[in-house]
């Protein structure tokens, strides 16, 4: 299990390329199941989550080739039973369910395990697929979906108690592309990654309108065909590096970003006193640490609101921002595992009932800390950049799930980090 040693005090300068989006890549890789023809997908980040998805697709019978960021997948012959052990290790693999059901008329997929950020139910996914005509059974830890008479278009409202579901919207949208008739998804997730998936599906010959809004209409077609697609930039990786630049930077430029996707994150960074300047094309931005900083109040919300996936990273930034900040996570109220570790480094944070109250301190100090989940581990790296001394971050596999070569990118910007292989 690797550890990361982050030596506080370096100033970040220069520029770094943001990778393709992990959360767009995962459903797009799964969507290749919907056709027997070649799917060429570019800018798929080399992270363990996408590698898991590729292993699952290969286990299902797909022919997969990966050369640097480009993945070619051909699902000529495909099984309808996903490998239990692989699927249960990564929640996002649930998004093979819709494509398998649509292509094969049957799908056997392990119930996803919970995780530290909270219970990860799939009731909304199943509500949507049942509305399309699927029969749902449970056996041996698997979900077994069957649609012997095929899928039929339906009107479906996917809203849950915590708002829309991103992967639930993806699953239903993918299944509906091959259903008989028109499907309307109300209360759909509007994340850029959902729109990127819809663009991929339309390039395969699907007929989807309204993706990126709360109401998506899908007209079923008989079959889908070969496609080439480039995945959108990773807005959460970009946000993470924006926070790093605000914390420890002296003019850091991020390339290959999308200004449209970063509005809520940019607003929060600017509101706390830093400056973010985009180029005219909106695909590059430069961040300068501010002089007069202040705490901010944040409430996470479905896109275009402030993303829950940037909650931990902003907490790390605000831990040493003068003033009081109140951070509420409405999507994953338990997503505060990083706070205990930040307090080990001297942060002044009180967590109660889905809300963290952060009182900015002058400086954190190094301590041995433990990553608990993907975004919490990124928050610990950020906190260590300006902490006094060298911070040792264990269980680094969490960060490798979703950040492509984060230590190399930080080194490129002038940070002093060492990956210690144990
Ligand atoms: C996606 O997860 C992302 N993962 C998550 O990013 C992200 O935090 C989340 O969306 C919210 O934006 C990928 O895209 C691979 P949801 P997803 O279904 O789709 C509840 C990261 O750090 N819910 O939108 O699994 C759920 O409990 C990861 O990259 C139900 O109640 O999340 C949550 O409270 C972490 N029933 C809320 O909805 C369901 O059937 C939103 O979950 C499904 C979800």
């Amino acid at each position: 299990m690797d550890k990361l040693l982050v030596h506080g005090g370096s100033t970040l300068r220069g520029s770094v390329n943001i990778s393709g989006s992990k959360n767009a890549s995962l459903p797009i890789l799964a969507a290749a199941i919907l056709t027997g023809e070649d799917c060429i997908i570019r800018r798929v980040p080399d992270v363990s989550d996408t590698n898991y998805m590729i292993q699952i697709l290969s286990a299902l019978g797909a022919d997969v080739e990966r050369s640097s960021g480009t993945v070619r997948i051909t699902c000529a012959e495909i099984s309808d039973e996903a490998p239990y052990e692989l699927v249960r290790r990564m929640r996002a693999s649930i998004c093979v369910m819709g494509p398998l059901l649509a292509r094969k008329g049957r799908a056997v997929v392990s119930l996803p395990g919970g995780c530290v950020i909270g219970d990860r139910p799939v009731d909304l996914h199943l509500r949507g697929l049942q509305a399309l005509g699927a029969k749902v059974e449970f056996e041996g830890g698997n979900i077994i979906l069957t649609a012997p008479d095929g899928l039929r278009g339906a009107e479906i409202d996917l809203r849950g108690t915590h708002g829309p579901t991103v992967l639930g919207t993806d699953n239903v949208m993918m299944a509906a592309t091959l259903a008989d008739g028109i499907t309307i998804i109300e209360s759909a997730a509007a994340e850029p990654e959902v729109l990127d998936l819809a663009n991929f599906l339309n390039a395969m010959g699907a007929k989807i309108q309204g993706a990126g809004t709360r109401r998506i209409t899908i007209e079923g077609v008989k079959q889908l065909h070969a496609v080439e697609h480039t995945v959108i930039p990773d807005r959460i990786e970009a946000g993470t590096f924006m926070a790093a630049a605000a914390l420890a930077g002296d003019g850091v430029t991020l390339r290959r970003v999308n200004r449209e996707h970063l509005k809520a994150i940019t607003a929060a960074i600017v509101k706390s006193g830093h400056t973010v300047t985009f180029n005219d094309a909106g695909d590059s931005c430069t961040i300068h640490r501010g002089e007069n900083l202040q705490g901010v109040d944040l409430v996470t919300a479905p896109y275009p609101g402030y993303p829950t996936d940037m909650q931990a990273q902003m907490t790390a930034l605000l831990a040493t921002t003068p003033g009081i900040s109140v951070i509420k996570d409405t999507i994953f109220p338990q997503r505060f595992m990083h706070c205990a570790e930040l307090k080990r480094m001297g942060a002044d944070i009180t967590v109660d009932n889905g809300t963290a109250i952060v009182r900015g301190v002058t400086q954190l100090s190094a301590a041995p800390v433990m990553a608990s989940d993907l975004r919490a581990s990124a928050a610990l790296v950020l906190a260590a950049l300006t902490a006094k001394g060298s911070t040792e971050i264990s269980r680094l596999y969490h960060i490798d799930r979703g950040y492509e070569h984060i230590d190399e990118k930080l080194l490129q910007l002038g940070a002093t980090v060492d990956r210690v292989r144990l």
Side-chain angles (χ1 to χ4, degrees):
M1 287 215 268
D2 291 4
K3 287 187 177 184
L4 196 66
L5 265 179
V6 181
H7 312 283
S10 306
T11 301
L12 307 187
R13 290 188 182 88
S15 66
V16 69
N17 283 340
I18 296 301
S19 302
S21 164
K22 162 184 89 83
N23 288 351
S25 299
L26 293 170
I28 286 173
L29 288 165
I33 291 170
L34 291 164
T35 179
E37 299 181 17
D38 286 357
C39 297
I40 310 279
I41 307 160
R42 297 190 179 85
R43 297 204 68 218
V44 175
D46 176 16
V47 294
S48 49
D49 272 12
T50 55
N51 292 328
Y52 269 147
M53 182 60 79
I54 287 169
Q55 285 176 47
I56 290 167
L57 292 167
S58 304
L60 283 166
D63 176 30
V64 189
E65 254 176 43
R66 180 174 203 152
S67 55
S68 71
T70 299
V71 179
R72 182 192 59 72
I73 307 178
T74 311
C75 299
E77 298 298 327
I78 205 90
S79 158
D80 57 16
E81 299 207 6
Y84 186 86
E85 275 314 312
L86 273 177
V87 169
R88 67 178 299 195
R89 282 167 63 178
M90 180 180 71
R91 163 170 170 91
S93 31
I94 196 76
C95 64
V96 303
M97 196 161 61
L100 276 182
L101 181 64
R103 173 85 187 270
K104 302 290 290 182
R106 181 173 182 268
V108 180
V109 180
S110 141
L111 272 162
C115 64
V116 291
I117 68 174
D119 181 22
R120 307 296 296 273
V122 291
D123 58 306
L124 300 173
H125 297 240
L126 299 178
R127 179 202 296 174
L129 296 174
Q130 279 173 307
L132 295 176
K135 190 174 134 213
V136 177
E137 295 165 288
F138 299 93
E139 190 183 314
N142 278 317
I143 308 166
I144 302 166
L145 294 132
T146 48
D149 307 327
L151 298 173
R152 289 178 314 285
E155 287 213 23
I156 306 162
D157 190 318
L158 278 185
R159 172 164 288 279
T161 49
H162 291 277
T165 163
V166 173
L167 291 180
T169 300
D170 293 346
N171 255 329
V172 176
M173 183 166 70
M174 287 188 279
T177 58
L178 296 179
D180 181 15
I182 306 268
T183 298
I184 296 176
I185 304 175
E186 297 287 359
S187 308
E191 270 68 7
E193 295 77 25
V194 175
L195 175 55
D196 202 31
L197 172 62
N199 291 336
F200 179 79
L201 293 166
N202 281 341
M204 294 171 82
K207 292 181 179 172
I208 301 169
Q209 292 180 329
T213 73
R214 292 274 177 257
R215 189 174 197 272
I216 303 177
T217 304
I218 305 109
E219 181 186 344
V221 294
K222 286 286 172 247
Q223 66 177 16
L224 297 175
H225 55 67
V227 60
E228 293 201 26
H229 181 83
T230 300
V231 166
I232 56 172
D234 193 311
R235 63 191 169 102
I236 305 302
E237 185 196 22
T240 305
F241 275 93
M242 284 169 87
L247 255 172
D250 179 22
V252 171
T253 297
L254 309 184
R255 301 193 193 293
R256 307 183 85 168
V257 298
N258 180 316
R259 174 174 49 200
E260 190 56 31
H261 300 164
L262 292 169
K263 282 186 172 173
I265 298 168
T266 304
I269 298 259
V270 168
K271 196 169 176 194
S272 62
H274 309 285
T275 57
V276 182
T277 314
F278 282 90
N279 66 348
D280 292 346
D283 60 6
S284 162
C285 64
T286 299
I287 301 97
H288 286 277
R289 181 172 170 76
E291 301 292 325
N292 306 310
L293 306 181
Q294 60 176 8
V296 295
D297 293 349
L298 274 180
V299 180
T300 67
Y303 192 87
Y306 188 85
T308 173
D309 291 352
M310 270 298 299
Q311 182 260 102
Q313 300 92 314
M314 199 63 194
T315 305
L317 173 58
L318 294 169
T320 54
T321 298
I324 293 179
S325 302
V326 180
I327 300 159
K328 183 174 176 54
D329 198 323
T330 64
I331 295 174
F332 292 116
Q334 297 161 24
R335 194 176 197 169
F336 290 100
M337 297 289 285
H338 46 288
C339 293
E341 297 305 296
L342 290 172
K343 286 160 82 169
R344 212 185 283 279
M345 296 173 72
D348 179 350
I349 306 175
T350 314
V351 178
D352 181 31
N353 193 23
T355 300
I357 298 168
V358 184
R359 290 174 178 80
V361 297
T362 310
Q363 186 180 22
L364 298 181
S365 48
V369 290
M370 191 182 294
S372 55
D373 61 276
L374 170 56
R375 306 304 176 182
S377 43
L380 297 178
V381 173
L382 295 181
L385 290 173
T386 55
K388 187 166 172 291
S390 298
T391 300
E392 182 186 282
I393 301 170
S394 57
R395 299 192 180 182
L396 207 52
Y397 57 85
H398 286 294
I399 208 163
D400 290 334
R401 288 191 48 189
Y403 287 93
E404 191 174 47
H405 314 316
I406 190 166
D407 39 339
E408 285 155 34
K409 292 188 178 183
L410 286 170
L411 280 166
Q412 190 185 321
L413 291 175
T416 316
V417 297
D418 296 304
R419 180 182 284 258
V420 178
R421 295 202 186 286
L422 296 174

